[in-house]
Amino acid sequence: MFKVIIADDRPHARLGLRMLLSASPEYRIVGEACNGTEVLECCKRLLPDLLLTDLKMPGLSVIEGAERLKAKDANMKIIILTALDECEDIYKAAKAGVDGYFMKDTDPGQLLSAIQCIMGGAKLYQTKENIDHAQDRWNAHAGK
Amino acid sequence: MVHRMQNISLSIIWKWILLLSCFMLYLGSRQEEPVQPVLAAAGMQAAYSIAVFSRSSARKLSALMFAGDLLVQAYLLWMTGGTSSPFLLYSLVSLAMIKLHVRWNWYYIASCAYLSLIPIIFAAADGIEISIYIANSHTYLMLCFLFFIFSLAVHHGVQKITHHIRLMTSIYISRPLPLQSSPSAAVEYVERALKTILKDRPLWLCLNTSNLEPEDQSWIHAYYKNQLMLQSPLNHKTNLSLVSPTGEALDMLVQPLRIRSGRKYGWLLIAAKKGELPLFDQMYTKLILMKFEAYFDMNKQVKEIQYKAVANEREVVAQNIHDGIAQELFFLSIQLFQFKGMLQTKSSEELLSMVSEMEKRVKESHGDIRKLITELKGEKRRFNLNEAIEKMLHRIAGSAGVDLIFENAGWTSKENVEIEETIYHFIEEAANNVIKHAQANKLFVRLEVTSVQWTIVVKDDGVGLKNNGNLEQQGKFGMIGMSNRIKALEGSISVHSDDGRGTRITATIPRERSLTYV
């Protein structure tokens, strides 16, 4: 059973994620947050296994928050869900140590299996191109 | 009117001074001579002065007084020694004042008549033959000659000055360049104005700004511009020999154009040999160019503001879509996903296919919306490569106190965004490496584009790479990543370095599509 925190400034989006995860018994939603600062507080208090968060929220920048959270607890998985399609953000997110980056129009079924993969230790970043290509670009950019 | 009054008052004061000094001279030389004619002349001049200064009197009256004054002066000359009278100079100055009442042609006629009548009348009155009388009046002839030379000189000077003042006024009050019209319209306008001033001399105003579209320039402008870009950069007005499109060598005066911040934006080419252009023409050219520069500056600012306004508006729209419809669709897609899951266990095939169809539609709209948001937001990312690179380099070099030399050569209207991004990031990475590792004093960046490829050179005078830039060393500096990106665009990258003699990284990227002038 994984403890999950959902963060999004739109109540509808949080509700959607809650519905999506509640279908799978291995996830238990322990908290919700609606801005960057709340995300940090929630994570400090509830120590989740997974943080599922929107990219653009009021308050502290999510990428900066992710970097801090990862520095404290590298085992905590962080997945960013966004409606924006900006390559730069993926690079930044990957540099910050985020484990997954998906568009919100990803098929919910695929999203669930992707989350499962990430909980198993994978790192997945999705752009408008396919995931493999994104990984290549990231590697190229980071010079790894 | 006030101007004319000032002139007249000034000349009247002069006349009084002259009359007095001539009178002194007269008294000094011939004590026993009568002073009545001098008093008469003084009286007449006083009357004339009053006629001029009392503003209520008509112009005709003062002109009449003036004529009377001249007659009295003739009498004065006659009484004080004829053509060798000490009052001759005074009389000539008075004569010159006719100009205040008449036009130039009348001035010449009247003064000629007056000056030739005087010796004729004097000779007749003395009963001497005219030719003998004139032959004896050396001083008189000499003064008359000087009088006409002086008159001609003043006449010519006044005409010249008036001409220049007119030109300058016409430049000053000429129609302001309409903002936002295409650069070609402004260029045409300025060229026409310059041609008027420079008497139809062939000239071209070639712009070299990065945001120029091909249709903004005629082919001949583009032709000369490309030729000038191959030359070493000009900083001052220079005489060059350029090849015309028909192959002839043309002597040109090339003037680099700059906006107020000092950045060059083009050249003015005037077909002229060295020293052929008169100084005044050069000044007027400068004046007109100043006007064009002001237009250019203003237009740039207006465009920037306009661009920002549009970008802001698009950002707002994108944000609204992102916050609203996109989230709803996200929610809807999850609901459908769950609904489908429930149906799969309980319900019929038909219902399931219907839900699948709905799911597909939602997914499609979701994709469309995402594309729309990206497109709207992407507008702000469309940038000018040269400017962006220059800004970035100044920032990097400025913060590290390294001298920067940035050159760019060649011209392209449009480029693939991916290539632009790669070039930008490559230069950024390379420049950062120089700052961090090279201990350099100078950073040299050259960006050159031809119809077939981009060439980027980043050079420094720092410590250099120990292994002549092998991959391991490059890898340390994150260059492998850049190298991969450049290779993905079918480009190549080479690093050359001698220990202690700086590093030179050269990258070439082929262009996707060629669009340049020959």
Side-chain angles (χ1 to χ4, degrees):
Chain A
M1 175 81 81
F2 299 114
K3 288 195 281 180
V4 185
I5 285 179
I6 293 170
D8 202 307
D9 53 331
R10 312 288 303 185
H12 259 110
R14 292 202 299 272
L15 185 59
L17 285 173
R18 186 177 270 280
M19 278 166 60
L20 181 69
L21 293 185
S22 60
S24 328
E26 64 261 45
Y27 303 110
R28 188 163 63 88
I29 294 160
V30 294
E32 284 186 15
C34 64
N35 63 49
T37 329
E38 260 188 40
V39 170
L40 272 193
E41 272 175 28
C42 255
C43 289
K44 258 186 225 163
R45 210 154 29 88
L46 303 168
L47 303 171
D49 302 298
L50 169 66
L51 168 65
L52 207 52
T53 174
D54 188 24
L55 179 63
K56 297 270 191 301
M57 280 195 294
L60 186 78
S61 125
V62 167
I63 292 192
E64 200 181 311
E67 208 164 1
R68 285 199 216 167
L69 288 172
K70 274 285 177 185
K72 251 188 220 153
D73 178 9
N75 289 326
M76 186 176 118
K77 308 290 180 195
I78 300 175
I79 296 174
I80 289 177
L81 275 171
T82 178
L84 300 177
D85 189 0
E86 305 219 17
C87 300
E88 287 300 311
D89 286 335
I90 299 188
Y91 298 146
K92 281 185 209 154
K95 260 184 184 162
V98 166
D99 302 271
Y101 187 103
F102 302 103
M103 298 297 129
K104 276 188 177 163
D105 60 346
T106 312
D107 179 74
Q110 277 181 14
L111 197 61
L112 264 186
S113 47
I115 293 175
Q116 222 159 17
C117 286
I118 288 170
M119 292 320 286
K123 276 180 189 281
L124 293 173
Y125 306 97
Q126 182 213 33
T127 57
K128 56 189 164 189
E129 303 139 37
N130 61 48
I131 292 172
D132 295 341
H133 195 156
Q135 188 76 39
D136 280 352
R137 277 182 75 130
W138 155 240
N139 285 342
H141 183 78
K144 280 178 185 166
Chain B
M1 188 63 199
V2 173
H3 184 65
R4 187 174 160 273
M5 277 304 289
Q6 274 178 343
N7 272 347
I8 293 182
S9 334
L10 212 72
S11 39
I12 285 177
I13 291 168
W14 267 108
K15 260 180 84 167
W16 279 110
I17 293 172
L18 262 173
L19 180 63
L20 275 177
S21 36
C22 289
F23 183 50
M24 302 289 244
L25 203 72
Y26 176 65
L27 281 185
S29 59
R30 310 168 206 187
Q31 258 112 6
E32 65 282 359
E33 293 286 332
V35 292
Q36 290 91 333
V38 184
L39 290 178
M44 194 61 215
Q45 189 170 309
Y48 170 66
S49 310
I50 291 165
V52 166
F53 285 122
S54 63
R55 299 205 171 174
S56 56
S57 68
R59 276 180 77 172
K60 271 186 187 159
L61 181 69
S62 61
L64 209 68
M65 288 287 196
F66 185 81
D69 189 33
L70 282 181
L71 285 179
V72 173
Q73 275 173 38
Y75 167 69
L76 173 70
L77 287 181
W78 163 247
M79 291 300 285
T80 55
T83 49
S84 53
S85 156
F87 289 95
L88 202 53
L89 189 67
Y90 161 71
S91 190
L92 285 174
V93 171
S94 300
L95 187 61
M97 279 178 62
I98 312 179
K99 182 61 200 81
L100 298 174
H101 300 279
V102 296
R103 291 181 179 281
W104 279 105
N105 42 0
W106 282 108
Y107 169 81
Y108 287 118
I109 293 170
S111 52
C112 263
Y114 184 78
L115 290 175
S116 47
L117 276 176
I118 278 182
I120 294 171
I121 293 168
F122 287 3
D126 279 345
I128 308 169
E129 206 174 309
I130 296 167
S131 53
I132 299 168
Y133 189 88
I134 289 179
N136 287 332
S137 318
H138 305 294
T139 332
Y140 180 74
L141 288 176
M142 183 64 137
L143 281 176
C144 285
F145 176 69
L146 286 177
F147 173 81
F148 281 111
I149 293 283
F150 176 74
S151 299
L152 282 171
V154 170
H155 185 183
H156 182 74
V158 166
Q159 267 187 338
K160 274 272 159 199
I161 290 172
T162 318
H163 169 75
H164 286 302
I165 288 175
R166 264 196 208 132
L167 269 180
M168 249 179 330
T169 320
S170 69
I171 292 171
Y172 182 72
I173 61 169
S174 60
R175 177 167 63 92
L177 286 164
L179 278 179
Q180 303 238 37
S181 62
S182 74
S184 59
V187 165
E188 202 180 303
Y189 176 84
V190 171
E191 282 184 351
R192 215 171 35 234
L194 283 171
K195 273 182 186 160
T196 318
I197 301 264
L198 302 181
K199 297 173 194 82
D200 282 332
R201 195 182 275 280
L203 50 88
W204 297 272
L205 190 72
C206 304
L207 297 185
N208 182 28
T209 48
S210 33
N211 51 359
L212 211 61
E213 300 290 335
E215 62 270 16
D216 287 344
Q217 271 192 323
S218 79
W219 66 272
I220 189 142
H221 287 94
Y223 169 83
Y224 280 121
K225 190 191 74 186
N226 284 343
Q227 207 172 126
L228 282 167
M229 299 233 288
L230 296 176
Q231 310 256 359
S232 55
L234 297 173
N235 285 323
H236 304 288
K237 211 190 291 176
T238 322
N239 280 88
L240 286 178
S241 179
L242 297 179
V243 184
S244 78
T246 49
E248 304 155 55
L250 276 182
D251 282 320
M252 297 265 198
L253 181 68
V254 182
Q255 157 113 52
L257 309 176
R258 293 165 194 273
I259 50 170
R260 274 170 227 173
S261 62
R263 211 161 54 78
K264 284 183 230 171
Y265 70 89
W267 302 272
L268 172 69
L269 287 88
I270 304 173
K273 290 194 181 68
K274 200 169 185 175
E276 196 187 336
L277 217 56
L279 191 69
F280 272 114
D281 285 356
Q282 292 182 27
M283 267 168 50
Y284 294 136
T285 310
K286 205 159 229 173
L287 270 180
I288 293 181
L289 282 181
M290 267 161 69
K291 201 164 171 165
F292 184 62
E293 272 156 30
Y295 152 81
F296 203 81
D297 248 12
M298 187 61 99
N299 220 7
K300 206 176 156 200
Q301 279 174 26
V302 168
K303 270 197 186 136
E304 261 168 32
I305 292 168
Q306 198 181 36
Y307 181 71
K308 262 186 208 151
V310 172
N312 282 347
E313 198 50 41
R314 280 171 168 265
E315 180 83 21
V316 169
V317 174
Q319 201 59 46
N320 285 342
I321 296 175
H322 169 247
D323 291 349
I325 305 171
Q327 307 296 341
E328 294 296 330
L329 282 173
F330 173 61
F331 176 65
L332 203 60
S333 69
I334 289 173
Q335 261 190 326
L336 276 171
F337 172 69
Q338 282 199 317
F339 188 42
K340 207 168 94 180
M342 274 149 68
L343 278 180
Q344 266 166 345
T345 52
K346 288 172 196 159
S347 197
S348 68
E349 277 296 307
E350 202 183 339
L351 217 52
L352 194 66
S353 77
M354 221 162 87
V355 173
S356 294
E357 182 61 27
M358 280 163 74
E359 203 179 30
K360 207 178 117 204
R361 287 278 165 84
V362 168
K363 197 173 157 57
E364 271 170 18
S365 351
H366 214 159
D368 288 347
I369 288 286
R370 175 154 64 90
K371 259 185 242 155
L372 184 62
I373 295 176
T374 311
E375 218 173 273
L376 285 169
K377 288 213 165 227
E379 193 62 18
K380 75 176 173 194
R381 277 191 292 167
R382 211 201 279 162
F383 67 127
N384 176 290
L385 187 64
N386 277 339
E387 268 174 35
I389 288 176
E390 203 169 347
K391 234 180 239 173
M392 175 260 292
L393 283 172
H394 275 293
R395 178 169 46 79
I396 292 176
S399 62
V402 172
D403 285 340
L404 170 72
I405 305 160
F406 177 63
E407 277 179 15
N408 66 70
W411 170 75
T412 159
S413 63
K414 281 184 183 77
E415 187 51 278
N416 177 342
V417 180
E418 204 167 352
I419 292 184
E420 284 194 339
E421 258 181 24
T422 306
I423 291 170
Y424 182 87
H425 286 301
F426 167 73
I427 294 181
E428 189 181 24
E429 190 87 46
N432 272 325
N433 282 343
V434 169
I435 303 302
K436 277 187 210 149
H437 308 289
Q439 297 159 34
N441 293 320
K442 271 187 194 142
L443 169 63
F444 172 89
V445 178
R446 183 179 164 82
L447 181 63
E448 189 186 329
V449 60
T450 63
S451 54
V452 287
Q453 68 174 15
W454 289 89
T455 309
I456 307 122
V457 179
V458 180
K459 214 163 62 174
D460 67 72
D461 61 348
V463 291
L465 301 173
K466 284 207 173 97
N467 310 319
N468 194 8
N470 70 8
L471 282 181
E472 194 187 324
Q473 188 92 3
Q474 288 175 38
K476 218 192 259 171
F477 300 147
M479 284 314 286
I480 284 190
M482 277 334 297
S483 171
N484 287 344
R485 280 187 83 166
I486 287 171
K487 278 176 192 156
L489 295 169
E490 286 164 9
S492 67
I493 181 166
S494 72
V495 182
H496 182 84
S497 173
D498 292 323
D499 201 6
R501 279 205 213 147
T503 312
R504 179 195 173 96
I505 305 178
T506 311
T508 52
I509 302 172
R511 292 196 53 202
E512 204 170 54
R513 204 159 33 119
S514 321
L515 187 73
T516 49
Y517 290 100
V518 185

